[in-house]
Amino acid sequence: MKIICYAVLPVEKPYISSWAEKNKVEIKMIPEELSSNNAYLVKGFDGVSSEGITPVDEKVYETLEKHGIKQLAIRQVGVDNQDLQAAKNHGITITNVAVYSPRAIAEMGVTQAMYLLRKIGVYKNRMSQNDYTWDESTISTEIFNCTVGLIGAGHIGGATAQIYHALGAKVITHDPGYDASLEPYMDYTDLDTLLKKSDIISLHTPLLESTRNIINYESLKKMKHNAILINMARGELVDTKALIKALKNKEIAGAGLDTLSDEITFFGKHKNYAQVPNDYQQLNEMPNVLITPHIAFFTKLAIQNSMEIALNDAKNVILGKGSRNIVN
Ligand code: NAD
Protein backbone atom coordinates (compact mmCIF):
# COMPACT_ATOMS: atom_id res chain seq x y z
CA MET A 1 0.00 0.00 0.00
CA LYS A 2 1.20 3.53 -0.82
CA ILE A 3 -0.04 6.72 0.89
CA ILE A 4 0.83 10.34 0.12
CA CYS A 5 0.90 12.73 3.09
CA TYR A 6 0.54 16.44 2.35
CA ALA A 7 1.35 19.33 4.74
CA VAL A 8 3.96 17.40 6.71
CA LEU A 9 6.01 19.45 9.19
CA PRO A 10 9.57 18.33 10.04
CA VAL A 11 8.43 17.51 13.60
CA GLU A 12 5.83 15.08 12.21
CA LYS A 13 8.18 13.10 9.97
CA PRO A 14 9.61 10.64 12.56
CA TYR A 15 6.09 9.63 13.68
CA ILE A 16 4.95 9.08 10.10
CA SER A 17 8.09 7.07 9.27
CA SER A 18 7.69 4.91 12.35
CA TRP A 19 3.99 4.23 11.55
CA ALA A 20 4.93 3.43 7.93
CA GLU A 21 7.56 0.92 9.02
CA LYS A 22 5.28 -0.74 11.58
CA ASN A 23 2.41 -1.01 9.10
CA LYS A 24 4.54 -1.87 6.06
CA VAL A 25 3.06 1.03 4.11
CA GLU A 26 5.11 3.16 1.74
CA ILE A 27 4.63 6.87 2.49
CA LYS A 28 5.64 9.93 0.49
CA MET A 29 5.70 13.16 2.54
CA ILE A 30 5.45 16.61 1.05
CA PRO A 31 5.35 19.95 2.91
CA GLU A 32 2.55 21.64 0.93
CA GLU A 33 -1.12 21.41 1.87
CA LEU A 34 -3.34 19.45 -0.56
CA SER A 35 -4.79 21.83 -3.17
CA SER A 36 -5.93 21.85 -6.79
CA ASN A 37 -2.34 22.76 -7.77
CA ASN A 38 -0.79 19.59 -6.39
CA ALA A 39 -3.64 17.04 -6.21
CA TYR A 40 -2.25 15.34 -9.36
CA LEU A 41 0.63 14.02 -7.18
CA VAL A 42 -1.76 11.33 -5.84
CA LYS A 43 -1.26 9.41 -9.12
CA GLY A 44 0.08 5.95 -8.29
CA PHE A 45 -0.92 6.13 -4.58
CA ASP A 46 -3.70 4.23 -2.78
CA GLY A 47 -4.47 6.84 -0.12
CA VAL A 48 -4.13 10.49 0.91
CA SER A 49 -3.71 12.44 4.14
CA SER A 50 -3.44 16.20 4.71
CA GLU A 51 -4.01 18.93 7.28
CA GLY A 52 -7.29 20.73 6.70
CA ILE A 53 -6.27 24.37 6.99
CA THR A 54 -6.57 25.46 3.35
CA PRO A 55 -10.09 25.47 1.87
CA VAL A 56 -10.40 22.71 -0.72
CA ASP A 57 -12.48 23.10 -3.89
CA GLU A 58 -14.29 20.41 -5.86
CA LYS A 59 -11.44 20.12 -8.40
CA VAL A 60 -9.34 18.41 -5.74
CA TYR A 61 -11.93 15.65 -5.21
CA GLU A 62 -12.32 15.29 -9.00
CA THR A 63 -8.58 14.74 -9.34
CA LEU A 64 -8.53 12.26 -6.44
CA GLU A 65 -11.40 10.32 -8.04
CA LYS A 66 -9.68 10.35 -11.44
CA HIS A 67 -6.66 8.63 -9.88
CA GLY A 68 -8.74 6.01 -8.06
CA ILE A 69 -8.43 7.53 -4.55
CA LYS A 70 -11.30 6.59 -2.21
CA GLN A 71 -10.44 8.52 0.95
CA LEU A 72 -8.86 11.64 2.46
CA ALA A 73 -7.62 11.48 6.07
CA ILE A 74 -7.55 14.97 7.62
CA ARG A 75 -5.13 15.19 10.58
CA GLN A 76 -7.11 17.67 12.70
CA VAL A 77 -10.56 18.12 14.25
CA GLY A 78 -11.93 20.81 11.92
CA VAL A 79 -13.21 19.78 8.49
CA ASP A 80 -14.92 23.11 7.86
CA ASN A 81 -12.54 23.77 4.94
CA GLN A 82 -13.75 20.62 3.15
CA ASP A 83 -16.84 20.38 0.97
CA LEU A 84 -18.09 17.16 2.53
CA GLN A 85 -20.96 16.62 0.08
CA ALA A 86 -18.80 17.31 -2.99
CA ALA A 87 -16.23 14.82 -1.68
CA LYS A 88 -18.98 12.23 -1.19
CA ASN A 89 -20.28 12.85 -4.72
CA HIS A 90 -16.80 11.96 -6.00
CA GLY A 91 -16.64 8.81 -3.87
CA ILE A 92 -14.15 10.27 -1.36
CA THR A 93 -14.60 9.28 2.29
CA ILE A 94 -13.23 11.98 4.62
CA THR A 95 -12.02 11.16 8.13
CA ASN A 96 -10.86 13.58 10.84
CA VAL A 97 -9.05 13.25 14.18
CA ALA A 98 -11.63 14.40 16.72
CA VAL A 99 -9.61 13.57 19.84
CA TYR A 100 -5.80 13.36 19.89
CA SER A 101 -4.75 14.42 23.40
CA PRO A 102 -7.17 16.44 25.56
CA ARG A 103 -4.53 16.38 28.34
CA ALA A 104 -2.17 18.48 26.17
CA ILE A 105 -4.59 21.40 26.10
CA ALA A 106 -5.80 20.87 29.68
CA GLU A 107 -2.22 20.94 31.04
CA MET A 108 -1.43 24.18 29.18
CA GLY A 109 -4.52 25.85 30.64
CA VAL A 110 -3.56 24.81 34.17
CA THR A 111 0.06 25.89 33.59
CA GLN A 112 -1.03 29.36 32.51
CA ALA A 113 -3.43 29.65 35.45
CA MET A 114 -0.68 28.74 37.93
CA TYR A 115 1.72 31.26 36.32
CA LEU A 116 -0.86 34.01 36.70
CA LEU A 117 -2.01 32.93 40.15
CA ARG A 118 1.56 33.17 41.46
CA LYS A 119 2.07 36.51 39.64
CA ILE A 120 5.20 35.28 37.89
CA GLY A 121 4.74 37.78 35.03
CA VAL A 122 4.67 40.65 37.53
CA TYR A 123 7.90 39.44 39.20
CA LYS A 124 9.59 38.89 35.82
CA ASN A 125 8.64 42.41 34.80
CA ARG A 126 9.94 43.93 38.03
CA MET A 127 13.17 41.95 38.02
CA SER A 128 13.89 42.92 34.40
CA GLN A 129 14.03 46.47 35.81
CA ASN A 130 16.28 45.45 38.73
CA ASP A 131 13.37 45.61 41.15
CA TYR A 132 13.56 42.52 43.40
CA THR A 133 10.77 43.50 45.81
CA TRP A 134 7.41 42.01 46.69
CA ASP A 135 4.45 43.65 48.44
CA GLU A 136 0.75 43.31 49.21
CA SER A 137 -0.15 43.64 45.51
CA THR A 138 1.79 40.47 44.63
CA ILE A 139 0.56 38.18 47.40
CA SER A 140 -0.82 34.93 45.88
CA THR A 141 -3.54 32.39 46.52
CA GLU A 142 -2.90 28.66 46.79
CA ILE A 143 -4.65 26.54 44.21
CA PHE A 144 -6.37 24.28 46.73
CA ASN A 145 -8.15 27.34 48.09
CA CYS A 146 -9.50 28.24 44.65
CA THR A 147 -12.81 27.61 42.95
CA VAL A 148 -12.27 26.81 39.30
CA GLY A 149 -15.15 27.37 36.87
CA LEU A 150 -15.07 25.47 33.57
CA ILE A 151 -17.27 26.67 30.73
CA GLY A 152 -17.58 23.51 28.65
CA ALA A 153 -16.73 20.07 30.00
CA GLY A 154 -16.20 17.81 27.01
CA HIS A 155 -12.90 16.03 26.30
CA ILE A 156 -10.65 18.98 27.20
CA GLY A 157 -12.84 20.50 29.94
CA GLY A 158 -13.20 17.03 31.49
CA ALA A 159 -9.42 16.50 31.52
CA THR A 160 -8.99 19.99 33.01
CA ALA A 161 -11.50 19.18 35.78
CA GLN A 162 -9.52 16.07 36.72
CA ILE A 163 -6.21 17.99 36.99
CA TYR A 164 -7.66 20.81 39.14
CA HIS A 165 -9.49 18.27 41.30
CA ALA A 166 -6.20 16.41 41.85
CA LEU A 167 -4.61 19.71 42.96
CA GLY A 168 -7.33 20.13 45.58
CA ALA A 169 -9.34 22.94 43.95
CA LYS A 170 -13.13 23.01 43.99
CA VAL A 171 -14.31 22.61 40.39
CA ILE A 172 -17.66 23.84 39.07
CA THR A 173 -18.84 23.58 35.48
CA HIS A 174 -21.37 25.07 33.14
CA ASP A 175 -22.22 22.80 30.20
CA PRO A 176 -25.64 22.14 28.65
CA GLY A 177 -24.56 18.50 28.36
CA TYR A 178 -24.02 16.11 31.26
CA ASP A 179 -21.34 13.46 31.76
CA ALA A 180 -21.85 11.24 34.80
CA SER A 181 -18.23 10.04 34.63
CA LEU A 182 -17.06 13.57 35.54
CA GLU A 183 -19.22 13.81 38.69
CA PRO A 184 -16.33 12.76 41.01
CA TYR A 185 -14.31 15.79 39.87
CA MET A 186 -16.80 18.64 39.58
CA ASP A 187 -20.31 19.99 40.18
CA TYR A 188 -22.56 21.32 37.43
CA THR A 189 -23.97 24.82 37.88
CA ASP A 190 -25.46 27.70 35.88
CA LEU A 191 -23.29 30.25 34.05
CA ASP A 192 -24.10 33.17 36.37
CA THR A 193 -23.15 31.26 39.52
CA LEU A 194 -19.94 30.10 37.86
CA LEU A 195 -18.97 33.64 36.82
CA LYS A 196 -19.64 35.02 40.31
CA LYS A 197 -17.97 32.25 42.35
CA SER A 198 -14.85 31.30 40.39
CA ASP A 199 -11.27 32.39 41.05
CA ILE A 200 -10.17 30.81 37.77
CA ILE A 201 -12.53 30.66 34.77
CA SER A 202 -11.41 28.34 31.98
CA LEU A 203 -13.07 28.16 28.54
CA HIS A 204 -13.44 24.80 26.75
CA THR A 205 -16.43 25.11 24.41
CA PRO A 206 -16.43 25.01 20.62
CA LEU A 207 -17.09 28.27 18.77
CA LEU A 208 -20.87 28.27 18.19
CA GLU A 209 -23.41 31.07 17.86
CA SER A 210 -24.31 30.35 21.51
CA THR A 211 -20.68 30.67 22.67
CA ARG A 212 -19.40 33.58 20.52
CA ASN A 213 -18.44 36.39 22.96
CA ILE A 214 -19.70 34.31 25.90
CA ILE A 215 -17.15 36.42 27.81
CA ASN A 216 -18.29 40.02 27.24
CA TYR A 217 -18.68 43.29 29.21
CA GLU A 218 -21.58 41.88 31.26
CA SER A 219 -19.96 38.55 32.10
CA LEU A 220 -16.64 40.22 33.01
CA LYS A 221 -18.52 42.55 35.39
CA LYS A 222 -19.94 39.51 37.20
CA MET A 223 -16.49 38.01 37.87
CA LYS A 224 -14.53 38.47 41.09
CA HIS A 225 -11.81 41.13 41.05
CA ASN A 226 -9.25 38.40 41.73
CA ALA A 227 -10.53 36.19 38.88
CA ILE A 228 -8.20 34.86 36.19
CA LEU A 229 -9.62 34.08 32.75
CA ILE A 230 -8.09 31.21 30.76
CA ASN A 231 -9.00 30.71 27.09
CA MET A 232 -7.61 27.55 25.50
CA ALA A 233 -10.53 27.15 23.07
CA ARG A 234 -11.26 29.83 20.44
CA GLY A 235 -10.46 33.57 20.46
CA GLU A 236 -13.99 34.49 19.39
CA LEU A 237 -15.38 33.20 22.71
CA VAL A 238 -14.06 36.42 24.26
CA ASP A 239 -14.86 40.03 23.36
CA THR A 240 -11.23 41.18 23.34
CA LYS A 241 -12.02 44.89 23.75
CA ALA A 242 -14.16 44.13 26.80
CA LEU A 243 -11.35 41.98 28.22
CA ILE A 244 -8.75 44.75 27.75
CA LYS A 245 -11.09 47.20 29.48
CA ALA A 246 -11.71 44.84 32.41
CA LEU A 247 -7.96 44.23 32.84
CA LYS A 248 -7.14 47.94 32.66
CA ASN A 249 -9.86 48.75 35.20
CA LYS A 250 -8.63 45.90 37.44
CA GLU A 251 -12.10 44.31 37.28
CA ILE A 252 -10.36 40.94 36.88
CA ALA A 253 -6.82 39.94 37.90
CA GLY A 254 -5.35 38.40 34.75
CA ALA A 255 -5.79 36.38 31.57
CA GLY A 256 -4.07 33.39 29.98
CA LEU A 257 -4.85 33.16 26.26
CA ASP A 258 -3.77 30.52 23.76
CA THR A 259 -6.19 31.88 21.17
CA LEU A 260 -7.18 35.37 20.01
CA SER A 261 -9.99 36.37 17.64
CA ASP A 262 -7.56 37.92 15.12
CA GLU A 263 -4.81 35.32 15.51
CA ILE A 264 -4.95 34.07 11.91
CA THR A 265 -3.10 37.20 10.72
CA PHE A 266 0.02 36.54 12.81
CA PHE A 267 0.08 33.33 14.89
CA GLY A 268 2.47 30.82 13.33
CA LYS A 269 4.16 33.57 11.28
CA HIS A 270 7.18 35.88 11.61
CA LYS A 271 5.90 39.47 11.89
CA ASN A 272 7.25 42.88 12.83
CA TYR A 273 5.80 44.02 16.15
CA ALA A 274 4.37 47.10 14.38
CA GLN A 275 2.34 44.79 12.10
CA VAL A 276 0.61 42.75 14.80
CA PRO A 277 -2.90 43.79 15.89
CA ASN A 278 -3.19 46.59 18.43
CA ASP A 279 -5.35 44.42 20.74
CA TYR A 280 -2.49 41.93 20.97
CA GLN A 281 0.03 44.70 21.66
CA GLN A 282 -2.10 46.07 24.50
CA LEU A 283 -2.57 42.64 26.06
CA ASN A 284 1.07 41.66 25.55
CA GLU A 285 2.26 44.68 27.50
CA MET A 286 0.32 43.67 30.62
CA PRO A 287 2.39 41.60 33.10
CA ASN A 288 -0.79 39.89 34.29
CA VAL A 289 -1.55 38.54 30.79
CA LEU A 290 0.08 35.52 29.20
CA ILE A 291 -0.36 34.80 25.49
CA THR A 292 0.80 31.75 23.55
CA PRO A 293 0.34 31.34 19.75
CA HIS A 294 -2.29 28.55 19.71
CA ILE A 295 0.12 25.84 20.74
CA ALA A 296 -1.73 24.23 23.64
CA PHE A 297 -2.11 21.10 21.49
CA PHE A 298 1.58 20.98 20.56
CA THR A 299 2.99 18.03 22.48
CA LYS A 300 4.79 14.92 21.27
CA LEU A 301 1.88 12.68 22.23
CA ALA A 302 -0.69 14.87 20.48
CA ILE A 303 1.36 14.92 17.26
CA GLN A 304 1.96 11.18 17.42
CA ASN A 305 -1.73 10.45 18.08
CA SER A 306 -3.00 12.70 15.30
CA MET A 307 -0.60 11.09 12.79
CA GLU A 308 -1.38 7.54 13.86
CA ILE A 309 -5.15 7.99 14.05
CA ALA A 310 -5.28 9.63 10.59
CA LEU A 311 -3.03 7.02 8.97
CA ASN A 312 -4.85 4.09 10.61
CA ASP A 313 -8.09 5.52 9.25
CA ALA A 314 -6.58 5.96 5.79
CA LYS A 315 -5.42 2.33 5.79
CA ASN A 316 -8.71 0.97 7.13
CA VAL A 317 -10.86 2.91 4.67
CA ILE A 318 -8.63 1.80 1.75
CA LEU A 319 -9.04 -1.81 2.93
CA GLY A 320 -12.82 -1.33 3.16
CA LYS A 321 -12.84 -1.76 6.96
CA GLY A 322 -14.42 1.66 7.66
CA SER A 323 -13.60 4.03 10.53
CA ARG A 324 -15.45 5.68 13.39
CA ASN A 325 -13.97 9.03 12.29
CA ILE A 326 -15.83 9.28 8.97
CA VAL A 327 -17.39 12.76 8.66
CA ASN A 328 -19.22 12.60 5.30
P1 NAD B 1 -15.86 18.61 23.06
O1 NAD B 1 -16.82 18.62 21.92
O2 NAD B 1 -15.39 17.31 23.60
O3 NAD B 1 -16.46 19.48 24.28
C1 NAD B 1 -17.08 20.71 24.11
C2 NAD B 1 -18.05 20.88 25.26
O4 NAD B 1 -18.61 22.20 25.19
C3 NAD B 1 -19.24 19.89 25.20
O5 NAD B 1 -19.35 19.19 26.42
C4 NAD B 1 -20.43 20.80 24.95
O6 NAD B 1 -21.63 20.32 25.56
C5 NAD B 1 -19.96 22.10 25.60
N1 NAD B 1 -20.74 23.26 25.17
C6 NAD B 1 -21.35 23.50 23.98
N2 NAD B 1 -22.01 24.67 24.03
C7 NAD B 1 -21.81 25.19 25.27
C8 NAD B 1 -22.26 26.38 25.93
N3 NAD B 1 -23.03 27.28 25.32
N4 NAD B 1 -21.87 26.57 27.21
C9 NAD B 1 -21.09 25.68 27.85
N5 NAD B 1 -20.66 24.53 27.28
C10 NAD B 1 -21.01 24.30 26.01
O7 NAD B 1 -14.61 19.48 22.57
P2 NAD B 1 -13.13 19.44 23.16
O8 NAD B 1 -12.35 18.37 22.46
O9 NAD B 1 -13.20 19.45 24.64
O10 NAD B 1 -12.58 20.84 22.61
C11 NAD B 1 -13.14 22.07 23.04
C12 NAD B 1 -12.59 23.18 22.18
O11 NAD B 1 -11.19 23.35 22.42
C13 NAD B 1 -12.63 22.90 20.66
O12 NAD B 1 -13.91 23.18 20.12
C14 NAD B 1 -11.58 23.80 20.11
O13 NAD B 1 -12.16 25.06 19.80
C15 NAD B 1 -10.61 23.97 21.28
N6 NAD B 1 -9.28 23.37 21.02
C16 NAD B 1 -8.19 24.14 21.23
C17 NAD B 1 -6.93 23.60 21.01
C18 NAD B 1 -5.68 24.42 21.25
O14 NAD B 1 -4.58 23.99 20.85
N7 NAD B 1 -5.76 25.55 21.93
C19 NAD B 1 -6.79 22.27 20.57
C20 NAD B 1 -7.95 21.51 20.40
C21 NAD B 1 -9.19 22.07 20.63
Side-chain angles (χ1 to χ4, degrees), residues 77 98-100 102 105 150-158 174-178 191 203-208 210-211 214 231-234 237 258-259 294-298:
V77 185
V99 183
Y100 43 84
I105 297 103
L150 306 177
I151 303 183
H155 293 101
I156 298 169
H174 169 66
D175 190 315
Y178 170 75
L191 184 58
L203 309 181
H204 302 289
T205 71
L207 176 64
L208 306 166
S210 62
T211 58
I214 196 165
N231 186 6
M232 294 293 118
R234 284 292 178 267
L237 302 183
D258 189 50
T259 62
H294 208 139
I295 42 71
F297 74 96
F298 196 49

Side-chain angles (χ1 to χ4, degrees), residues 236-281:
E236 294 90 338
L237 302 183
V238 178
D239 178 338
T240 312
K241 301 241 174 305
L243 174 64
I244 292 171
K245 191 171 173 208
L247 287 161
K248 281 190 173 159
N249 293 343
K250 298 193 180 345
E251 285 161 357
I252 67 165
L257 311 166
D258 189 50
T259 62
L260 289 171
S261 54
D262 47 14
E263 68 182 45
I264 196 142
T265 61
F266 65 117
F267 278 9
K269 302 184 169 96
H270 288 281
K271 288 274 177 187
N272 287 332
Y273 197 60
Q275 292 176 316
V276 299
N278 180 263
D279 283 352
Y280 168 78
Q281 292 184 8

